[in-house]
């Protein structure tokens, strides 16, 4: 089975939120195909001034589809744009799995697709993300959280741990460990261990 | 003082080799400015099919210049191209500091700028990289190695530990720790600790 990893990029997205997971999924090309999308296609600029070429994200007929949403400063504008949020709602509902990194969870929350579900996000921006939607069961201490088809991670590098956790769940623990070794990444396998939660405690 | 981080990209570079460090340096924009270069400018495609817009890398009049070389499959072609290697030699000699990640060290070795210096690289490709130049003092077990103005790291994610180590050295330990917390990265501060060296031991 081929899984399609559909990265939805937007201006001022956080570089590693998208490309940490892309590095991981890209190490198993026999399983995962990567696509770089944006709402209007063309050049998207990360918060680090990296310019990425993207395609327009229309409906994807393929299966299995995995929507991957990075976070970053750009989410502050996106949550205020009804057209973008409606698109994200539709794409998330169509997808077989949805993964968000850092404040990417704010986009899903705003779209209403996390209502009644457990989810996490960057602890540094926790209060802002929470303020987008109170109907979400926000988890304060977690490296990442899985609920149904939704995987949400804490800040930036936590997206790499979540991606390996996702591969652990849908492919195998062996594949997740093999990839972490290939990229010389010390995988933090325990999703509930969150060494950064206390840093931003009220 | 403003440091210019000049990432030299090429087709089939390894995504995280370049963008792990870019994420880290990008978190201190008051100190570091990021530039994305390639030999001929235009679109460069990573091994993960990410398409990045780059500028042509001419001589840089600014100081302080930091040349950053990722590794990846593309290095296998580059070491065979005299024009590319001559360029890398000139750019490395001009730079105030040179950082390589993974098999990026093969490019520096081939260019002769590591002769008589200690350096490391990906342990998985260790024999191939060594075969590029015997005059380098290759270090088999290290997360990263500093010798004079050259910093070389082990595979892929090790480039993130090296980048934080570099910031530790030229800015301050506090700045390195602050950035690692901001990106929720568990920094492996000890450059000699290399949990992946044994995996590929003959």
């Amino acid at each position: 089975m081929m899984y399609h990893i559909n990265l939805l990029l937007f201006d001022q997205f956080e570089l590693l939120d998208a490309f940490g997971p892309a590095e991981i999924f890209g190490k198993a090309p026999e399983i995962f195909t990567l696509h770089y999308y944006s709402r209007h296609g063309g050049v998207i600029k990360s918060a680090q001034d990296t310019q990425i070429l993207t395609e327009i994200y229309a409906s994807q007929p393929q299966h299995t589809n995995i929507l991957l949403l990075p976070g970053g400063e750009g989410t502050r504008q996106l949550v205020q744009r009804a057209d973008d949020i409606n698109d994200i709602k539709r794409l998330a509902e169509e997808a077989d799995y949805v993964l968000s990194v850092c404040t990417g969870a704010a986009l899903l929350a705003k779209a209403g697709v996390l209502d009644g579900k457990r989810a996490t996000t960057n602890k540094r921006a926790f209060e802002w993300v929470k303020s987008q939607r109170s109907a979400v069961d926000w988890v304060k201490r977690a490296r990442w959280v899985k609920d149904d088809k939704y995987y949400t991670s804490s800040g930036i590098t936590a997206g790499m741990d979540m991606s390996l956790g996702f591969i652990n769940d849908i492919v195998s623990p062996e594949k997740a460990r093999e990839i972490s070794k290939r990229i010389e990444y010390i995988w933090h396998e325990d999703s509930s261990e969150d060494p950064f939660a206390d840093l931003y405690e009220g």
Side-chain angles (χ1 to χ4, degrees), chain A residues 32-46:
Chain A
F32 301 105
T33 304
L34 292 158
H35 306 275
Y36 302 90
Y37 291 110
S38 65
R39 187 146 192 266
H40 302 291
V43 176
I44 292 290
K45 209 169 183 176
S46 86

Side-chain angles (χ1 to χ4, degrees), chain A residues 122-138:
Chain A
N122 190 341
K123 300 318 168 305
R124 225 171 141 255
F126 199 70
E127 293 308 318
W128 175 76
V129 176
K130 261 175 77 173
S131 74
Q132 299 306 312
R133 197 87 170 181
S134 59
V136 181
D137 180 7
W138 292 109

